[in-house]
Amino acid sequence: MALRDVRASVIAIVVATLVLGLGFPALATGFAQLAFSHKADGSLVKVDGKIVGSSRRSCRRP
Amino acid sequence: MSGQGIGQILVYAFVLIALAYSLGTYMAKLYNAERFGFGWLQAVERGFYRLLGSGSKEQDWKAYGKSVLIFSLLFSAVVYVIQRIQGHLFLNPDHLKGVPSHIALNTTASFVTNTNWQYYGGEYTMSYLTQIAALATQQFVSAGVGMAVLVAVVRGLARRSARDVGNFWRDLYRSIVYVLLPLSLILAVVLISQGVPQTFSGQVTATTLEGATQTIARGPVALMIAIKQLGTNGGGFFNSNSAVPFENPNGLTNLLELLSILLIPAAQVFMFGRMVLARRHAWVVFAAMFTLFVAGLAVAVPAEQHGSTVLRQSGVNITQGHGQSGGNMSDKEVRFGIANTSLWATATTDASNGSVDGGHDALTPAGGAVPLINIFVGEVIFGGVGSGLYGMIFYILIAVFVAGLMVGRTPEYLGKKIEAREIKYAAVGALFVPTLALALTALAIVTKSGLASVFNPGAHGFTEALYAYTSQTNNNGSAFAGYGATNFSAELGAVAMYLGRFVPLLAALAIGGSLAAKKTVPPSAGTFRTDGATFGVLLVGVIVLTAGLMVFPALTLGPIVEGLSH
């Protein structure tokens, strides 16, 4: 009985780590890079090609 | 407190109830259905059970609990090992070294038990691989485990003369695949669109216009933040959690992340009502939780707006108006202000989430007592996903028992006789964790190795230690800050989290199993009704008395002394 649980656990751990831990983050990153590449990379601000900081929407003050 | 602040809190409450009701209805269908979803989704689910080799046969509560324990402990080993060897693994663009053993141990316990106490700063300790494959995976899985166990307990209440309470693997699969994953993906997409990073590229160094250099940490953040909020996990990607613009860029994301904190725990109350066919009773339980939630807000928000005595006497202008929020803005994000930060602090400690969008250490004494009391009542004011409602069931049984004593009848709950056995389990479930929290706090302040963790002198230092062990035993994970990681505190914390998670979890399963076996008796004239206001008041009273008596002496030594001495 316990052995069956161990076997099921090991398989579930491998599947969960691959699917939830790598698969979906990769999918989300792929989507983000395609649809919002600037924001997904951290909304970096460049002046003359050099990074000078990051602008996030919230930093824009009235 | 401003009208705008009250308006924001009201909008929050209405949207929350509407969403939670719909999600609860959906979840009741999800867990009751023999088959769920369309064609290929069903095929994938069946394939998963076949792969496990365990099938989806029903288990009794002991077998169910055994699956939970074996799965959680084996998974702990993986989480620990990934942290230790991350320096040699891929997805580590910033070349971070392996995590020190005591931090890795504490972090493992923390994420496996849905606590997310963090004795580390994410961006400079954990590689991207560790963040997503070890920690965020656990944010899905530990939440799924909590949800599965709740469903098993609820089935126990619903069934008659039965032995089994469901199948762990099936409940786990459905919780993750049909609730947590879709909601997280939707939230992640919105977060990305608002400026939360989701990239595998490493940190960048910026040279600011003033000529200073600035390191901008980033990474695969958005999906982790989504599940962090939805699964009442709370462990952020960055050290400063949801106060960082990269986790929480603006008002919209703040509202969505706030809603996500309480969404699933609140929805589970409605799910419970449908599954046990007692929807009125579920509304009473919901009302009891909501009352305690509002009570917390009613103290925290005005306290922060009023500021502390020290602040008022310091000569700083804390009057509200002229575009100024006034009040105690120390350690608060100006983007969110007092109402939103206090709402977050209340919700995150009600829900066993533990994420923050401001610093709790700088709350006023009364404002800081609210999160502490919230955690101390055992995370049942909505509480953690799954664990909140099964924690509430302990209190419900105690309330029913007290009512039974008053009228001199064997107590009944949902048509089942509640006897000594269930009350013993309920007492263990309700009292074990606060007792453990007090014992560990005592240990931490009387030993030399324990005192090494306390940063501040006097009553405030005591509050920090009390908060640390209360948060960890209750699997909340929010930190008051100002409590340091030593070998001693990290290892003691790990023990606190494992015991605090699995002892009540098993007690709840035992209650489920014990009640499943019982017959239901039709209500008679002498039956104490659990679907009216009287029961609601009694339930709130039992919670306040039980938890209040446990926490009050400790509160006296911490926030109360501090509040009086300034």
Side-chain angles (χ1 to χ4, degrees), chain A residues 4-5 7-9 11 13 21 24-25 29 33 36 39-42 51-54 56-58, chain B residues 51-52 54 67 71 75 132 137 169 181 193-194 197-199 206-208 218 245-246 249 335:
Chain A
R4 259 174 77 152
D5 275 326
R7 186 192 125 99
S9 295
I11 296 168
I13 288 167
F24 278 98
T29 309
Q33 294 295 333
F36 299 98
K39 284 173 181 161
D41 279 336
I51 299 167
V52 295
S54 163
R56 272 134 296 163
R57 299 163 69 93
S58 58
Chain B
L51 190 67
L52 291 191
S54 69
S67 297
F71 176 65
F75 221 149
I132 58 174
T137 303
W169 304 107
L181 195 53
S193 78
Q194 299 300 307
Q198 180 74 34
T199 175
T207 309
T208 65
R218 46 187 190 163
F246 269 173
R335 293 175 294 143

mmCIF file of all heavy atoms in Angstrom, chain A residues 4-5 7-9 11 13 21 24-25 29 33 36 39-42 51-54 56-58, chain B residues 51-52 54 67 71 75 132 137 169 181 193-194 197-199 206-208 218 245-246 249 335:
data_model
loop_
_atom_site.group_PDB
_atom_site.id
_atom_site.type_symbol
_atom_site.label_atom_id
_atom_site.label_comp_id
_atom_site.label_asym_id
_atom_site.label_seq_id
_atom_site.Cartn_x
_atom_site.Cartn_y
_atom_site.Cartn_z
ATOM 1 N N ARG A 4 2.779 1.585 -3.208
ATOM 2 C CA ARG A 4 1.977 2.150 -4.297
ATOM 3 C C ARG A 4 1.937 3.667 -4.215
ATOM 4 O O ARG A 4 1.987 4.353 -5.224
ATOM 5 C CB ARG A 4 0.547 1.603 -4.215
ATOM 6 C CG ARG A 4 0.295 0.488 -5.201
ATOM 7 C CD ARG A 4 -1.066 -0.076 -4.963
ATOM 8 N NE ARG A 4 -2.087 0.805 -5.501
ATOM 9 C CZ ARG A 4 -3.262 0.337 -5.919
ATOM 10 N NH1 ARG A 4 -3.526 -0.947 -5.857
ATOM 11 N NH2 ARG A 4 -4.165 1.172 -6.376
ATOM 12 N N ASP A 5 1.847 4.170 -2.978
ATOM 13 C CA ASP A 5 1.831 5.621 -2.786
ATOM 14 C C ASP A 5 3.167 6.237 -3.184
ATOM 15 O O ASP A 5 3.212 7.313 -3.767
ATOM 16 C CB ASP A 5 1.532 5.963 -1.319
ATOM 17 C CG ASP A 5 0.039 5.998 -1.042
ATOM 18 O OD1 ASP A 5 -0.713 6.396 -1.942
ATOM 19 O OD2 ASP A 5 -0.363 5.619 0.071
ATOM 20 N N ARG A 7 5.297 5.062 -5.385
ATOM 21 C CA ARG A 7 5.384 5.027 -6.837
ATOM 22 C C ARG A 7 4.540 6.156 -7.446
ATOM 23 O O ARG A 7 5.016 6.933 -8.279
ATOM 24 C CB ARG A 7 4.878 3.662 -7.318
ATOM 25 C CG ARG A 7 5.045 3.405 -8.792
ATOM 26 C CD ARG A 7 4.246 2.153 -9.177
ATOM 27 N NE ARG A 7 3.341 2.504 -10.267
ATOM 28 C CZ ARG A 7 3.610 2.235 -11.548
ATOM 29 N NH1 ARG A 7 4.702 1.604 -11.874
ATOM 30 N NH2 ARG A 7 2.777 2.612 -12.500
ATOM 31 N N ALA A 8 3.299 6.260 -6.996
ATOM 32 C CA ALA A 8 2.410 7.307 -7.527
ATOM 33 C C ALA A 8 2.982 8.691 -7.224
ATOM 34 O O ALA A 8 2.962 9.585 -8.075
ATOM 35 C CB ALA A 8 1.016 7.164 -6.919
ATOM 36 N N SER A 9 3.545 8.866 -6.004
ATOM 37 C CA SER A 9 4.108 10.161 -5.631
ATOM 38 C C SER A 9 5.263 10.539 -6.542
ATOM 39 O O SER A 9 5.339 11.665 -7.022
ATOM 40 C CB SER A 9 4.605 10.136 -4.184
ATOM 41 O OG SER A 9 3.526 9.964 -3.312
ATOM 42 N N ILE A 11 5.979 9.598 -9.559
ATOM 43 C CA ILE A 11 5.521 9.962 -10.904
ATOM 44 C C ILE A 11 4.837 11.328 -10.872
ATOM 45 O O ILE A 11 5.094 12.195 -11.714
ATOM 46 C CB ILE A 11 4.574 8.882 -11.463
ATOM 47 C CG1 ILE A 11 5.360 7.582 -11.629
ATOM 48 C CG2 ILE A 11 3.986 9.316 -12.795
ATOM 49 C CD1 ILE A 11 4.507 6.375 -11.900
ATOM 50 N N ILE A 13 5.344 13.742 -8.823
ATOM 51 C CA ILE A 13 6.348 14.784 -8.587
ATOM 52 C C ILE A 13 7.049 15.145 -9.893
ATOM 53 O O ILE A 13 7.219 16.320 -10.220
ATOM 54 C CB ILE A 13 7.367 14.313 -7.511
ATOM 55 C CG1 ILE A 13 6.698 14.320 -6.137
ATOM 56 C CG2 ILE A 13 8.602 15.200 -7.506
ATOM 57 C CD1 ILE A 13 7.473 13.585 -5.061
ATOM 58 N N GLY A 21 6.260 23.356 -13.288
ATOM 59 C CA GLY A 21 7.485 24.068 -12.964
ATOM 60 C C GLY A 21 8.259 24.543 -14.179
ATOM 61 O O GLY A 21 8.998 25.509 -14.107
ATOM 62 N N PHE A 24 4.586 25.267 -18.149
ATOM 63 C CA PHE A 24 3.737 26.457 -18.156
ATOM 64 C C PHE A 24 4.527 27.765 -18.003
ATOM 65 O O PHE A 24 4.201 28.735 -18.689
ATOM 66 C CB PHE A 24 2.601 26.337 -17.137
ATOM 67 C CG PHE A 24 1.446 25.538 -17.681
ATOM 68 C CD1 PHE A 24 1.295 24.199 -17.374
ATOM 69 C CD2 PHE A 24 0.530 26.119 -18.552
ATOM 70 C CE1 PHE A 24 0.250 23.462 -17.915
ATOM 71 C CE2 PHE A 24 -0.524 25.397 -19.092
ATOM 72 C CZ PHE A 24 -0.671 24.054 -18.774
ATOM 73 N N PRO A 25 5.562 27.812 -17.156
ATOM 74 C CA PRO A 25 6.387 29.038 -17.150
ATOM 75 C C PRO A 25 6.998 29.321 -18.524
ATOM 76 O O PRO A 25 7.069 30.481 -18.955
ATOM 77 C CB PRO A 25 7.469 28.732 -16.118
ATOM 78 C CG PRO A 25 6.841 27.759 -15.206
ATOM 79 C CD PRO A 25 5.939 26.916 -16.055
ATOM 80 N N THR A 29 6.240 32.575 -20.654
ATOM 81 C CA THR A 29 7.338 33.429 -21.107
ATOM 82 C C THR A 29 7.276 33.609 -22.618
ATOM 83 O O THR A 29 7.452 34.716 -23.132
ATOM 84 C CB THR A 29 8.692 32.820 -20.697
ATOM 85 O OG1 THR A 29 8.638 32.508 -19.306
ATOM 86 C CG2 THR A 29 9.828 33.783 -20.950
ATOM 87 N N GLN A 33 6.876 37.180 -24.326
ATOM 88 C CA GLN A 33 7.895 37.712 -25.230
ATOM 89 C C GLN A 33 7.300 38.062 -26.594
ATOM 90 O O GLN A 33 7.751 38.994 -27.254
ATOM 91 C CB GLN A 33 9.047 36.713 -25.373
ATOM 92 C CG GLN A 33 9.848 36.504 -24.096
ATOM 93 C CD GLN A 33 10.593 37.758 -23.648
ATOM 94 O OE1 GLN A 33 10.933 38.614 -24.459
ATOM 95 N NE2 GLN A 33 10.829 37.897 -22.348
ATOM 96 N N PHE A 36 4.139 41.030 -25.385
ATOM 97 C CA PHE A 36 4.526 42.220 -24.606
ATOM 98 C C PHE A 36 6.027 42.221 -24.368
ATOM 99 O O PHE A 36 6.479 42.330 -23.229
ATOM 100 C CB PHE A 36 3.828 42.213 -23.232
ATOM 101 C CG PHE A 36 2.328 42.236 -23.279
ATOM 102 C CD1 PHE A 36 1.608 41.056 -23.154
ATOM 103 C CD2 PHE A 36 1.639 43.430 -23.440
ATOM 104 C CE1 PHE A 36 0.218 41.073 -23.179
ATOM 105 C CE2 PHE A 36 0.248 43.445 -23.466
ATOM 106 C CZ PHE A 36 -0.461 42.275 -23.341
ATOM 107 N N LYS A 39 7.577 45.029 -22.040
ATOM 108 C CA LYS A 39 7.189 44.936 -20.626
ATOM 109 C C LYS A 39 7.723 43.661 -19.989
ATOM 110 O O LYS A 39 8.157 43.664 -18.833
ATOM 111 C CB LYS A 39 5.676 44.966 -20.500
ATOM 112 C CG LYS A 39 5.117 46.349 -20.698
ATOM 113 C CD LYS A 39 3.612 46.296 -20.723
ATOM 114 C CE LYS A 39 3.053 47.685 -20.943
ATOM 115 N NZ LYS A 39 1.668 47.627 -21.426
ATOM 116 N N ALA A 40 7.680 42.564 -20.730
ATOM 117 C CA ALA A 40 8.116 41.290 -20.167
ATOM 118 C C ALA A 40 9.595 41.298 -19.834
ATOM 119 O O ALA A 40 10.056 40.554 -18.982
ATOM 120 C CB ALA A 40 7.786 40.159 -21.128
ATOM 121 N N ASP A 41 10.351 42.157 -20.528
ATOM 122 C CA ASP A 41 11.779 42.251 -20.234
ATOM 123 C C ASP A 41 12.076 43.257 -19.133
ATOM 124 O O ASP A 41 13.228 43.538 -18.835
ATOM 125 C CB ASP A 41 12.555 42.624 -21.503
ATOM 126 C CG ASP A 41 12.794 41.394 -22.364
ATOM 127 O OD1 ASP A 41 12.777 40.281 -21.797
ATOM 128 O OD2 ASP A 41 12.976 41.539 -23.574
ATOM 129 N N GLY A 42 11.046 43.864 -18.560
ATOM 130 C CA GLY A 42 11.250 44.762 -17.432
ATOM 131 C C GLY A 42 11.103 46.228 -17.795
ATOM 132 O O GLY A 42 11.618 47.083 -17.076
ATOM 133 N N ILE A 51 21.101 51.296 -21.356
ATOM 134 C CA ILE A 51 20.001 51.179 -20.395
ATOM 135 C C ILE A 51 20.201 52.190 -19.269
ATOM 136 O O ILE A 51 21.265 52.224 -18.646
ATOM 137 C CB ILE A 51 19.941 49.755 -19.822
ATOM 138 C CG1 ILE A 51 19.697 48.758 -20.959
ATOM 139 C CG2 ILE A 51 18.852 49.630 -18.774
ATOM 140 C CD1 ILE A 51 19.926 47.325 -20.582
ATOM 141 N N VAL A 52 19.187 52.994 -19.012
ATOM 142 C CA VAL A 52 19.309 53.982 -17.930
ATOM 143 C C VAL A 52 18.348 53.703 -16.774
ATOM 144 O O VAL A 52 18.359 54.395 -15.762
ATOM 145 C CB VAL A 52 19.073 55.425 -18.425
ATOM 146 C CG1 VAL A 52 20.153 55.825 -19.410
ATOM 147 C CG2 VAL A 52 17.692 55.565 -19.040
ATOM 148 N N GLY A 53 17.501 52.696 -16.903
ATOM 149 C CA GLY A 53 16.565 52.373 -15.816
ATOM 150 C C GLY A 53 15.379 51.605 -16.355
ATOM 151 O O GLY A 53 15.423 51.087 -17.477
ATOM 152 N N SER A 54 14.360 51.525 -15.529
ATOM 153 C CA SER A 54 13.147 50.816 -15.923
ATOM 154 C C SER A 54 11.963 51.721 -15.648
ATOM 155 O O SER A 54 11.895 52.356 -14.602
ATOM 156 C CB SER A 54 13.021 49.528 -15.113
ATOM 157 O OG SER A 54 11.708 49.037 -15.189
ATOM 158 N N ARG A 56 8.025 51.781 -15.055
ATOM 159 C CA ARG A 56 6.804 51.001 -14.958
ATOM 160 C C ARG A 56 5.668 51.989 -14.951
ATOM 161 O O ARG A 56 5.839 53.133 -14.559
ATOM 162 C CB ARG A 56 6.804 50.121 -13.724
ATOM 163 C CG ARG A 56 7.457 48.792 -13.993
ATOM 164 C CD ARG A 56 8.405 48.434 -12.927
ATOM 165 N NE ARG A 56 9.509 49.393 -12.877
ATOM 166 C CZ ARG A 56 10.295 49.492 -11.846
ATOM 167 N NH1 ARG A 56 10.107 48.772 -10.804
ATOM 168 N NH2 ARG A 56 11.293 50.358 -11.859
ATOM 169 N N ARG A 57 4.552 51.521 -15.370
ATOM 170 C CA ARG A 57 3.425 52.432 -15.563
ATOM 171 C C ARG A 57 3.169 53.250 -14.308
ATOM 172 O O ARG A 57 2.845 54.423 -14.380
ATOM 173 C CB ARG A 57 2.182 51.626 -15.908
ATOM 174 C CG ARG A 57 2.332 50.844 -17.173
ATOM 175 C CD ARG A 57 1.276 49.782 -17.228
ATOM 176 N NE ARG A 57 -0.050 50.368 -17.416
ATOM 177 C CZ ARG A 57 -0.605 50.535 -18.591
ATOM 178 N NH1 ARG A 57 0.035 50.193 -19.677
ATOM 179 N NH2 ARG A 57 -1.815 51.052 -18.693
ATOM 180 N N SER A 58 3.315 52.578 -13.179
ATOM 181 C CA SER A 58 2.956 53.232 -11.931
ATOM 182 C C SER A 58 3.908 54.377 -11.584
ATOM 183 O O SER A 58 3.600 55.212 -10.764
ATOM 184 C CB SER A 58 2.984 52.220 -10.809
ATOM 185 O OG SER A 58 4.272 51.672 -10.760
ATOM 186 N N LEU B 51 -1.030 6.537 -15.507
ATOM 187 C CA LEU B 51 0.413 6.730 -15.351
ATOM 188 C C LEU B 51 0.842 6.541 -13.892
ATOM 189 O O LEU B 51 1.849 5.925 -13.592
ATOM 190 C CB LEU B 51 0.771 8.148 -15.817
ATOM 191 C CG LEU B 51 2.245 8.505 -15.973
ATOM 192 C CD1 LEU B 51 2.839 7.694 -17.117
ATOM 193 C CD2 LEU B 51 2.394 9.988 -16.272
ATOM 194 N N LEU B 52 0.035 7.075 -12.982
ATOM 195 C CA LEU B 52 0.361 6.945 -11.559
ATOM 196 C C LEU B 52 0.280 5.499 -11.094
ATOM 197 O O LEU B 52 0.924 5.114 -10.131
ATOM 198 C CB LEU B 52 -0.615 7.767 -10.703
ATOM 199 C CG LEU B 52 -0.553 9.273 -10.775
ATOM 200 C CD1 LEU B 52 -1.403 9.866 -9.663
ATOM 201 C CD2 LEU B 52 0.870 9.786 -10.644
ATOM 202 N N SER B 54 -2.128 4.219 -9.703
ATOM 203 C CA SER B 54 -2.885 4.125 -8.453
ATOM 204 C C SER B 54 -4.374 4.063 -8.742
ATOM 205 O O SER B 54 -5.172 3.734 -7.884
ATOM 206 C CB SER B 54 -2.614 5.360 -7.587
ATOM 207 O OG SER B 54 -3.201 6.478 -8.213
ATOM 208 N N SER B 67 -1.480 9.043 1.562
ATOM 209 C CA SER B 67 -1.053 9.562 0.248
ATOM 210 C C SER B 67 -0.571 10.997 0.370
ATOM 211 O O SER B 67 0.458 11.371 -0.214
ATOM 212 C CB SER B 67 -2.215 9.503 -0.763
ATOM 213 O OG SER B 67 -2.622 8.186 -0.985
ATOM 214 N N PHE B 71 3.385 11.859 -0.382
ATOM 215 C CA PHE B 71 3.588 12.778 -1.506
ATOM 216 C C PHE B 71 4.308 14.044 -1.038
ATOM 217 O O PHE B 71 5.296 14.471 -1.646
ATOM 218 C CB PHE B 71 2.223 13.116 -2.114
ATOM 219 C CG PHE B 71 2.258 14.124 -3.226
ATOM 220 C CD1 PHE B 71 2.894 13.831 -4.424
ATOM 221 C CD2 PHE B 71 1.624 15.349 -3.093
ATOM 222 C CE1 PHE B 71 2.913 14.756 -5.463
ATOM 223 C CE2 PHE B 71 1.646 16.277 -4.127
ATOM 224 C CZ PHE B 71 2.294 15.984 -5.309
ATOM 225 N N PHE B 75 8.166 15.070 -2.011
ATOM 226 C CA PHE B 75 8.329 16.309 -2.775
ATOM 227 C C PHE B 75 9.286 17.258 -2.053
ATOM 228 O O PHE B 75 10.050 18.000 -2.673
ATOM 229 C CB PHE B 75 6.971 16.982 -3.006
ATOM 230 C CG PHE B 75 6.806 17.563 -4.390
ATOM 231 C CD1 PHE B 75 5.563 17.617 -5.000
ATOM 232 C CD2 PHE B 75 7.908 18.042 -5.095
ATOM 233 C CE1 PHE B 75 5.407 18.139 -6.277
ATOM 234 C CE2 PHE B 75 7.759 18.570 -6.376
ATOM 235 C CZ PHE B 75 6.501 18.616 -6.960
ATOM 236 N N ILE B 132 11.015 28.793 -10.301
ATOM 237 C CA ILE B 132 9.843 28.244 -11.007
ATOM 238 C C ILE B 132 9.664 26.747 -10.775
ATOM 239 O O ILE B 132 8.563 26.290 -10.510
ATOM 240 C CB ILE B 132 9.869 28.560 -12.525
ATOM 241 C CG1 ILE B 132 11.123 28.027 -13.200
ATOM 242 C CG2 ILE B 132 9.711 30.052 -12.767
ATOM 243 C CD1 ILE B 132 11.116 28.202 -14.713
ATOM 244 N N THR B 137 6.257 25.594 -8.412
ATOM 245 C CA THR B 137 5.586 24.291 -8.529
ATOM 246 C C THR B 137 4.894 23.958 -7.213
ATOM 247 O O THR B 137 3.739 23.535 -7.174
ATOM 248 C CB THR B 137 6.623 23.179 -8.829
ATOM 249 O OG1 THR B 137 7.312 23.524 -10.011
ATOM 250 C CG2 THR B 137 5.954 21.831 -8.982
ATOM 251 N N TRP B 169 -5.462 11.599 -5.392
ATOM 252 C CA TRP B 169 -4.833 11.989 -6.664
ATOM 253 C C TRP B 169 -5.842 12.669 -7.570
ATOM 254 O O TRP B 169 -5.529 13.622 -8.270
ATOM 255 C CB TRP B 169 -4.227 10.761 -7.346
ATOM 256 C CG TRP B 169 -3.259 10.078 -6.439
ATOM 257 C CD1 TRP B 169 -3.443 8.895 -5.791
ATOM 258 C CD2 TRP B 169 -1.967 10.555 -6.039
ATOM 259 N NE1 TRP B 169 -2.347 8.612 -5.024
ATOM 260 C CE2 TRP B 169 -1.425 9.611 -5.161
ATOM 261 C CE3 TRP B 169 -1.228 11.695 -6.346
ATOM 262 C CZ2 TRP B 169 -0.171 9.757 -4.577
ATOM 263 C CZ3 TRP B 169 0.021 11.849 -5.772
ATOM 264 C CH2 TRP B 169 0.536 10.894 -4.896
ATOM 265 N N LEU B 181 -4.627 26.327 -12.118
ATOM 266 C CA LEU B 181 -3.875 26.613 -13.336
ATOM 267 C C LEU B 181 -4.588 27.615 -14.242
ATOM 268 O O LEU B 181 -3.991 28.628 -14.642
ATOM 269 C CB LEU B 181 -3.559 25.287 -14.050
ATOM 270 C CG LEU B 181 -2.498 25.337 -15.128
ATOM 271 C CD1 LEU B 181 -1.216 25.967 -14.634
ATOM 272 C CD2 LEU B 181 -2.208 23.920 -15.636
ATOM 273 N N SER B 193 0.673 42.182 -18.978
ATOM 274 C CA SER B 193 0.233 43.346 -19.759
ATOM 275 C C SER B 193 0.397 44.648 -18.979
ATOM 276 O O SER B 193 0.415 45.725 -19.550
ATOM 277 C CB SER B 193 -1.221 43.171 -20.187
ATOM 278 O OG SER B 193 -2.075 43.462 -19.091
ATOM 279 N N GLN B 194 0.493 44.542 -17.657
ATOM 280 C CA GLN B 194 0.645 45.742 -16.828
ATOM 281 C C GLN B 194 2.096 46.017 -16.442
ATOM 282 O O GLN B 194 2.367 46.948 -15.689
ATOM 283 C CB GLN B 194 -0.202 45.621 -15.554
ATOM 284 C CG GLN B 194 -1.691 45.490 -15.817
ATOM 285 C CD GLN B 194 -2.239 46.686 -16.573
ATOM 286 O OE1 GLN B 194 -2.065 47.826 -16.179
ATOM 287 N NE2 GLN B 194 -2.878 46.428 -17.711
ATOM 288 N N PRO B 197 7.430 41.518 -15.196
ATOM 289 C CA PRO B 197 8.310 40.809 -16.132
ATOM 290 C C PRO B 197 8.001 39.311 -16.231
ATOM 291 O O PRO B 197 7.493 38.704 -15.287
ATOM 292 C CB PRO B 197 9.703 41.008 -15.538
ATOM 293 C CG PRO B 197 9.576 42.102 -14.551
ATOM 294 C CD PRO B 197 8.172 42.083 -14.069
ATOM 295 N N GLN B 198 8.282 38.745 -17.367
ATOM 296 C CA GLN B 198 8.230 37.291 -17.553
ATOM 297 C C GLN B 198 9.290 36.982 -18.600
ATOM 298 O O GLN B 198 9.027 36.998 -19.797
ATOM 299 C CB GLN B 198 6.826 36.847 -18.001
ATOM 300 C CG GLN B 198 6.661 35.344 -18.219
ATOM 301 C CD GLN B 198 6.606 34.531 -16.930
ATOM 302 O OE1 GLN B 198 6.085 34.970 -15.913
ATOM 303 N NE2 GLN B 198 7.149 33.317 -16.967
ATOM 304 N N THR B 199 10.498 36.769 -18.130
ATOM 305 C CA THR B 199 11.624 36.574 -19.048
ATOM 306 C C THR B 199 12.628 35.620 -18.423
ATOM 307 O O THR B 199 12.688 35.494 -17.202
ATOM 308 C CB THR B 199 12.307 37.927 -19.350
ATOM 309 O OG1 THR B 199 13.465 37.681 -20.137
ATOM 310 C CG2 THR B 199 12.752 38.652 -18.078
ATOM 311 N N ALA B 206 21.976 49.089 -15.147
ATOM 312 C CA ALA B 206 21.643 50.346 -15.790
ATOM 313 C C ALA B 206 22.552 51.437 -15.247
ATOM 314 O O ALA B 206 22.894 51.425 -14.065
ATOM 315 C CB ALA B 206 20.190 50.704 -15.518
ATOM 316 N N THR B 207 22.954 52.340 -16.120
ATOM 317 C CA THR B 207 23.666 53.530 -15.650
ATOM 318 C C THR B 207 22.655 54.665 -15.701
ATOM 319 O O THR B 207 22.189 55.037 -16.768
ATOM 320 C CB THR B 207 24.863 53.852 -16.552
ATOM 321 O OG1 THR B 207 25.622 52.654 -16.699
ATOM 322 C CG2 THR B 207 25.727 54.939 -15.948
ATOM 323 N N THR B 208 22.272 55.148 -14.530
ATOM 324 C CA THR B 208 21.201 56.139 -14.505
ATOM 325 C C THR B 208 21.700 57.469 -15.060
ATOM 326 O O THR B 208 22.904 57.659 -15.266
ATOM 327 C CB THR B 208 20.681 56.374 -13.072
ATOM 328 O OG1 THR B 208 21.742 56.962 -12.310
ATOM 329 C CG2 THR B 208 20.242 55.089 -12.417
ATOM 330 N N ARG B 218 15.247 40.813 -12.656
ATOM 331 C CA ARG B 218 13.975 40.453 -13.321
ATOM 332 C C ARG B 218 13.921 38.943 -13.423
ATOM 333 O O ARG B 218 14.680 38.263 -12.745
ATOM 334 C CB ARG B 218 13.899 41.146 -14.681
ATOM 335 C CG ARG B 218 15.176 41.017 -15.471
ATOM 336 C CD ARG B 218 15.160 41.834 -16.736
ATOM 337 N NE ARG B 218 16.326 41.470 -17.541
ATOM 338 C CZ ARG B 218 16.462 41.731 -18.817
ATOM 339 N NH1 ARG B 218 15.518 42.360 -19.468
ATOM 340 N NH2 ARG B 218 17.549 41.356 -19.477
ATOM 341 N N PRO B 245 7.257 47.308 -7.650
ATOM 342 C CA PRO B 245 6.485 47.516 -8.878
ATOM 343 C C PRO B 245 6.556 46.326 -9.844
ATOM 344 O O PRO B 245 5.605 46.062 -10.557
ATOM 345 C CB PRO B 245 7.132 48.761 -9.489
ATOM 346 C CG PRO B 245 7.736 49.477 -8.345
ATOM 347 C CD PRO B 245 8.166 48.423 -7.376
ATOM 348 N N PHE B 246 7.654 45.597 -9.849
ATOM 349 C CA PHE B 246 7.760 44.445 -10.750
ATOM 350 C C PHE B 246 6.830 43.297 -10.352
ATOM 351 O O PHE B 246 6.582 42.396 -11.134
ATOM 352 C CB PHE B 246 9.204 43.931 -10.809
ATOM 353 C CG PHE B 246 10.030 44.563 -11.906
ATOM 354 C CD1 PHE B 246 11.398 44.315 -11.990
ATOM 355 C CD2 PHE B 246 9.449 45.389 -12.856
ATOM 356 C CE1 PHE B 246 12.165 44.891 -12.998
ATOM 357 C CE2 PHE B 246 10.200 45.962 -13.868
ATOM 358 C CZ PHE B 246 11.566 45.714 -13.936
ATOM 359 N N PRO B 249 2.548 46.421 -10.287
ATOM 360 C CA PRO B 249 2.892 47.730 -10.866
ATOM 361 C C PRO B 249 1.916 48.866 -10.581
ATOM 362 O O PRO B 249 2.330 50.011 -10.520
ATOM 363 C CB PRO B 249 2.935 47.462 -12.378
ATOM 364 C CG PRO B 249 2.806 46.000 -12.552
ATOM 365 C CD PRO B 249 2.220 45.437 -11.311
ATOM 366 N N ARG B 335 1.949 54.530 -3.818
ATOM 367 C CA ARG B 335 1.015 54.156 -4.883
ATOM 368 C C ARG B 335 -0.280 53.586 -4.316
ATOM 369 O O ARG B 335 -1.324 53.646 -4.929
ATOM 370 C CB ARG B 335 1.646 53.107 -5.801
ATOM 371 C CG ARG B 335 2.816 53.616 -6.596
ATOM 372 C CD ARG B 335 3.455 52.506 -7.379
ATOM 373 N NE ARG B 335 4.071 51.506 -6.524
ATOM 374 C CZ ARG B 335 4.075 50.217 -6.784
ATOM 375 N NH1 ARG B 335 3.465 49.755 -7.846
ATOM 376 N NH2 ARG B 335 4.677 49.378 -5.977
#
